[in-house]
Amino acid sequence: MGRCFWAILLLALAAFLLAGFPHVDVGLLMPRLGGQAEGPPVTNVMFLKTHKTASSAVLNILYRFAETHKLSAALPAGGLFHLGYPWLFLARYVEGVEQGGPEQRFNILCNHLRFNLPEVQKVMPNDTFYFSILRNPVFQLESSFIYYKDYAPAFKGVASLEDFLASPWTYYNRSQGLRNAHARNNMWFDLGFDNDAQPEEGYVRARLAETERRFQLVLIAEHFDESMVLLRRRLRWRLDDVVAFRLNARSPRSVTSLTPAGRERAKRWCSLDWRLYQHFNRTFWAQVRAELGPRRLRSEVERLRERRRELVALCLEDGEPKNQSQITDRWLRPHQSGKADILGYNLRPGLDSQTLQMCQRMVMPEVQYMAHLYALQFPGKPPKSIPFLGA
């Protein structure tokens, strides 16, 4: 009876205060009245990792959460590093899943794959939270051009992205198949759709609606911190669970800027990605307004940034990213691809063992972290060999 009385009294007091101050932002009072949605943290999560969209930082967040809470992750089988990408995902690409064998379910699925819902549902529980991330396709294409310069046939024979966009059909050949997925509508492709489809209105609307039905949340890379605030709220995770450093980022010298004309050509060339981005940028901000409000959002974003600054000061040598040649720990060197100069980190010397372990997890590149989780989860199997680290 005592607890019930005080709960009723508190609610009555809150109602009185809100009635007396009609301009009070309710979101600001929420932390004192229970704030974030109550309940246990969400532990069954599927993240569709799109390419060149800040998704490596999200992957690190999910890997850390899986390791901290001893959750199972759906990892590539054998010596593989991707879950079948660029082919559509099949459950048999996951270590521990056997054709004709008993059903196997995992808590976390976030490694590189091309979305294929029926097969995903074979390895993930029914209550799984699905989310993804998108980036402005102009910048996503620029990043892809640099990163996949030596991989995508469409990019190999052209000097610059400006030249490519001035005459894309000179270099892009549909018959070269999936290897060219990075050269056009790559995010649309990652969702399992045809990246060469005609952008007819009915088709586009149907695919957008399908994506919205399946994914409870689609984040926006240009608003990464706001995205983490909303993700944390939906998953009911702690602040430290969603704090991340920039991973797989390029040095400024390997980033190019398109001309205004080039940017418009990029939007037309990747028109399906442009429609996708526009749609989910709108839905993202609608959800932010509905769930947080501007003042609460600013407060939560600042909390996140302040915690990141604290961890940067605690973990990182000089507080700055380093290029490949400057990284002293071979295990922390990121994979280099195409013409990109991918940065990584050195940790501060003299960290105690517990702090060192935490900081290592935060800066570990995605390939190494996947191999690390694989060794923990499948100790009886040969460990992943990472060729670019050398002997």
Side-chain angles (χ1 to χ4, degrees):
M1 283 294 292
R3 289 184 180 179
C4 183
F5 170 79
W6 286 112
I8 293 171
L9 182 61
L10 181 60
L11 287 173
L13 179 60
F16 171 77
L17 288 172
L18 290 175
F21 300 96
H23 301 295
V24 168
D25 186 339
V26 178
L28 290 176
L29 294 179
M30 287 299 286
R32 299 170 193 172
L33 302 177
Q36 205 150 313
E38 294 181 0
V42 174
T43 55
N44 295 326
V45 177
M46 190 278 160
F47 171 59
L48 178 63
K49 186 188 186 305
T50 50
H51 289 78
K52 317 315 299 173
T53 58
S55 59
S56 292
V58 182
L59 200 72
N60 178 268
I61 285 169
L62 294 170
Y63 280 165
R64 280 162 34 212
F65 190 83
E67 183 175 8
T68 299
H69 296 274
K70 296 180 171 53
L71 303 176
S72 61
L75 300 172
L80 300 176
F81 291 94
H82 295 164
L83 292 169
Y85 195 88
W87 290 272
L88 285 168
F89 172 76
L90 297 175
R92 63 181 175 84
Y93 296 149
V94 176
E95 186 66 74
V97 174
E98 299 178 11
Q99 282 188 298
E103 287 188 351
Q104 178 72 32
R105 294 289 188 269
F106 299 87
N107 299 116
I108 306 288
L109 174 60
C110 59
N111 198 260
H112 292 270
L113 62 83
R114 188 177 179 208
F115 193 64
N116 183 9
L117 180 60
E119 292 291 312
V120 169
Q121 290 175 324
K122 291 180 181 180
V123 298
M124 296 303 292
N126 292 334
D127 64 350
T128 295
F129 181 90
Y130 288 77
F131 78 105
S132 189
I133 188 169
L134 300 175
R135 184 183 183 187
N136 184 315
V138 174
F139 306 116
Q140 192 273 343
L141 183 64
E142 183 275 331
S143 184
S144 289
F145 181 83
I146 300 298
Y147 196 84
Y148 298 107
K149 186 74 172 66
D150 300 329
Y151 176 83
F155 292 156
K156 285 183 178 180
V158 60
S160 70
L161 183 56
E162 289 280 2
D163 291 344
F164 174 83
L165 290 169
S167 182
W169 290 111
T170 302
Y171 309 99
Y172 184 89
N173 188 334
R174 289 177 180 172
S175 67
Q176 291 173 316
L178 302 182
R179 288 175 67 88
N180 261 337
H182 296 294
R184 191 183 194 199
N185 294 311
N186 192 196
M187 296 181 289
W188 193 265
F189 177 87
D190 288 345
L191 283 162
F193 305 140
D194 179 4
N195 61 318
D196 284 322
Q198 291 298 310
E200 297 172 355
E201 189 63 24
Y203 166 77
V204 172
R205 285 181 178 273
R207 299 291 79 76
L208 293 177
E210 180 181 339
T211 303
E212 200 162 350
R213 283 194 300 271
R214 171 43 51 195
F215 291 88
Q216 289 104 307
L217 182 61
V218 177
L219 309 176
I220 300 298
E222 285 79 12
H223 304 287
F224 189 83
D225 290 345
E226 292 85 351
S227 293
M228 291 304 101
V229 167
L230 189 54
L231 179 68
R232 175 181 175 241
R233 181 182 179 86
R234 294 289 186 85
L235 298 180
R236 301 189 292 272
W237 287 6
R238 300 175 305 121
L239 178 62
D240 276 12
D241 292 330
V242 298
V243 177
F245 300 151
R246 290 187 69 199
L247 296 175
N248 211 33
R250 292 174 290 157
S251 67
R253 71 177 182 83
S254 62
V255 177
T256 59
S257 296
L258 287 173
T259 63
R263 291 195 289 270
E264 291 305 312
R265 291 188 184 114
K267 291 176 187 178
R268 291 194 297 271
W269 176 245
C270 295
S271 59
L272 295 170
D273 271 0
W274 181 241
R275 287 291 304 276
L276 182 72
Y277 176 78
Q278 285 182 305
H279 177 84
F280 283 102
N281 189 40
R282 287 193 296 268
T283 63
F284 173 78
W285 286 108
Q287 291 173 76
V288 167
R289 286 192 296 270
E291 296 186 33
L292 289 157
R295 295 179 66 187
R296 175 80 182 278
L297 176 66
R298 285 194 298 271
S299 173
E300 291 293 316
V301 166
E302 183 50 40
R303 283 183 64 207
L304 179 73
R305 291 174 178 169
E306 176 59 29
R307 182 56 178 153
R308 183 188 297 124
R309 288 190 289 267
E310 292 172 358
L311 290 171
V312 164
L314 176 66
C315 292
L316 303 184
E317 182 181 74
D318 305 327
E320 296 290 338
K322 308 291 183 182
N323 63 38
Q324 175 90 328
S325 64
Q326 297 173 311
I327 300 172
T328 54
D329 186 342
R330 187 168 56 91
W331 186 252
L332 299 182
R333 292 175 187 167
H335 174 56
Q336 304 294 314
S337 178
K339 305 302 180 185
D341 177 23
I342 305 299
L343 302 176
Y345 298 97
N346 283 330
L347 297 179
R348 285 183 58 224
L351 298 174
D352 65 75
S353 59
Q354 185 176 358
T355 304
L356 177 63
Q357 184 181 63
M358 179 196 69
C359 294
Q360 283 175 331
R361 290 174 179 176
M362 292 197 69
V363 303
M364 195 178 297
E366 63 181 80
V367 174
Q368 288 94 309
Y369 212 147
M370 187 274 292
H372 170 66
L373 284 184
Y374 186 89
L376 292 177
Q377 205 163 300
F378 302 101
K381 293 185 178 291
K384 300 274 187 185
S385 175
I386 304 177
F388 67 85
L389 291 183

